[in-house]
Amino acid sequence: MLFKKKQTEEKIDRSQRILPTHVGIIMDGNGRWAKKRGLPRQAGHKVGAATFKKITRYANSIGIKNLTVYAFSTENWRRPKEEIDALMDIFYDYLIEALRDFSEENIRTIFIGDVTAFSPKLQQLIHETEEISSDKTGMRLNIAMNYGGRNEIVKAMREISQEVADGKLKPEDISSEIISDHMYTFGQPDPDLIIRPSGEYRTSNFLLWQSAYSEYVFMDEILWPDFSTEDLERALDEYSRRNRRFGGV
Ligand code: IPE
Ligand code: IPE
Ligand code: MG
């Protein structure tokens, strides 16, 4: 981890390790991965999508119960049209493949974020993917697309205000639990661990409400397309070494 005076990475016995229930991943570094190879940014997104598939399967296989991946933020619309078009094509191809290949995987997929901004054919695939996997009992995969933590809080505030206006809820009854129930992730535990590769040490608007007590692991030496199952294991080892206090002692 960062700014350690001395590297004292205590060896972790992986069979004894405490596994996080909910893991978040900010899949960052695709553009730089491509640039390093003299390729267009889209080439990085393509390899990044393959990495996503590999890591998702692996996380389910080792018993992670909830995985949330940040695929496209509410701010990513600021990118050049060419890159956005390429990303939409990659999302589309990914979902077509996922519908075919993931049918045997015991993974329940839901999308978090305002998906109404996507093309009707992409939205159709999003709904099909959610529907086809809705009876799966394994890992719950949340794919954050057109997701922003602030947007999500605004959505929650609007819904709650409406309930108050309709007389269904009293202002004094608004609690943290009620706010959580209006997040896209309602009914799921908060993320225990959030991993960000690529050397950026920020949240970039990911799970703002839910991450109040998440452990962060920033892996600066690795770009998302290169992220391996062993990198996930290293992040899980680091999580296991953390001492979570939640304000206590
Ligand atoms: C993450 O990689 C993917 C998306 C945001 C869609 P980037 O495209 O941000 O890659 P870098 O950060 O520019 O290297
Ligand atoms: C965050 O990465 C969003 C995703 C990985 C989808 P960005 O690359 O958009 O974040 P910033 O702009 O570096 O903060
Ligand atoms: Mg980035």
Side-chain angles (χ1 to χ4, degrees):
M1 271 306 294
L2 300 170
F3 307 120
K4 262 201 183 151
K5 284 203 188 101
K6 207 167 58 176
Q7 205 62 28
T8 50
E9 277 197 8
E10 166 206 335
K11 263 253 167 276
I12 292 281
D13 174 355
R14 286 184 177 163
S15 63
Q16 301 290 314
R17 167 176 83 171
I18 307 152
L19 214 55
T21 304
H22 186 170
V23 177
I25 306 182
I26 301 173
M27 305 188 290
D28 197 18
N30 294 350
R32 279 164 285 171
W33 183 93
K35 195 170 172 215
K36 261 175 50 183
R37 288 161 178 79
L39 298 168
R41 293 178 57 85
Q42 329 8 346
H45 295 315
K46 232 186 164 125
V47 180
T51 302
F52 163 61
K53 216 179 277 179
K54 172 184 76 190
I55 296 299
T56 300
R57 283 203 166 109
Y58 185 74
N60 186 35
S61 76
I62 60 172
I64 302 290
K65 296 279 174 255
N66 302 66
L67 176 68
T68 303
V69 292
Y70 205 5
F72 192 84
S73 76
T74 45
E75 288 72 42
N76 286 146
W77 298 108
R78 293 179 186 155
R79 296 187 178 202
K81 185 178 181 303
E82 196 192 355
E83 180 171 348
I84 290 178
D85 289 348
L87 272 167
M88 295 303 139
D89 288 346
I90 289 168
F91 292 149
Y92 188 82
D93 292 346
Y94 168 80
L95 288 177
I96 293 274
E97 271 179 48
L99 282 172
R100 191 190 60 212
D101 302 344
F102 268 59
S103 54
E104 319 91 69
E105 301 277 333
N106 194 16
I107 297 175
R108 176 169 177 203
T109 303
I110 65 157
F111 290 79
I112 65 169
D114 179 11
V115 298
T116 62
F118 297 118
S119 71
K121 70 176 195 177
L122 190 53
Q123 285 186 56
Q124 174 62 29
L125 273 182
I126 285 174
H127 296 314
E128 266 178 59
T129 308
E130 286 186 335
E131 213 167 288
I132 264 175
S133 70
S134 64
D135 57 348
K136 303 280 173 143
T137 54
M139 186 176 77
R140 177 136 182 187
L141 171 66
N142 305 304
I143 305 181
M145 295 235 300
N146 194 24
Y147 173 87
R150 287 193 167 181
N151 249 27
E152 184 181 35
I153 293 170
V154 169
K155 170 189 102 70
M157 292 309 124
R158 285 190 179 144
E159 290 169 4
I160 292 170
S161 311
Q162 192 59 54
E163 287 179 30
V164 171
D166 294 345
K168 293 182 190 143
L169 189 68
K170 291 206 278 296
E172 57 271 30
D173 292 337
I174 299 171
S175 60
S176 286
E177 289 71 31
I178 288 185
I179 296 176
S180 292
D181 286 347
H182 285 272
M183 295 289 148
Y184 291 114
T185 50
F186 66 90
Q188 301 187 55
D190 287 338
D192 302 291
L193 166 67
I194 295 179
I195 303 167
R196 182 168 194 163
S198 95
E200 310 298 355
Y201 310 136
R202 53 178 172 263
T203 70
S204 300
N205 209 4
F206 187 50
L207 301 177
L208 293 185
W209 172 263
Q210 299 89 334
S211 63
Y213 271 101
S214 300
E215 296 295 329
Y216 279 91
V217 171
F218 294 109
M219 304 178 86
D220 29 342
E221 74 291 6
I222 179 120
L223 301 169
W224 177 252
D226 288 330
F227 197 91
S228 66
T229 55
E230 184 51 29
D231 293 320
L232 177 62
E233 290 288 358
R234 285 198 296 132
L236 296 172
D237 287 350
E238 172 59 22
Y239 172 79
S240 198
R241 282 190 283 265
R242 300 280 174 90
N243 178 8
R244 304 183 79 191
R245 287 186 289 275
F246 300 98
V249 287

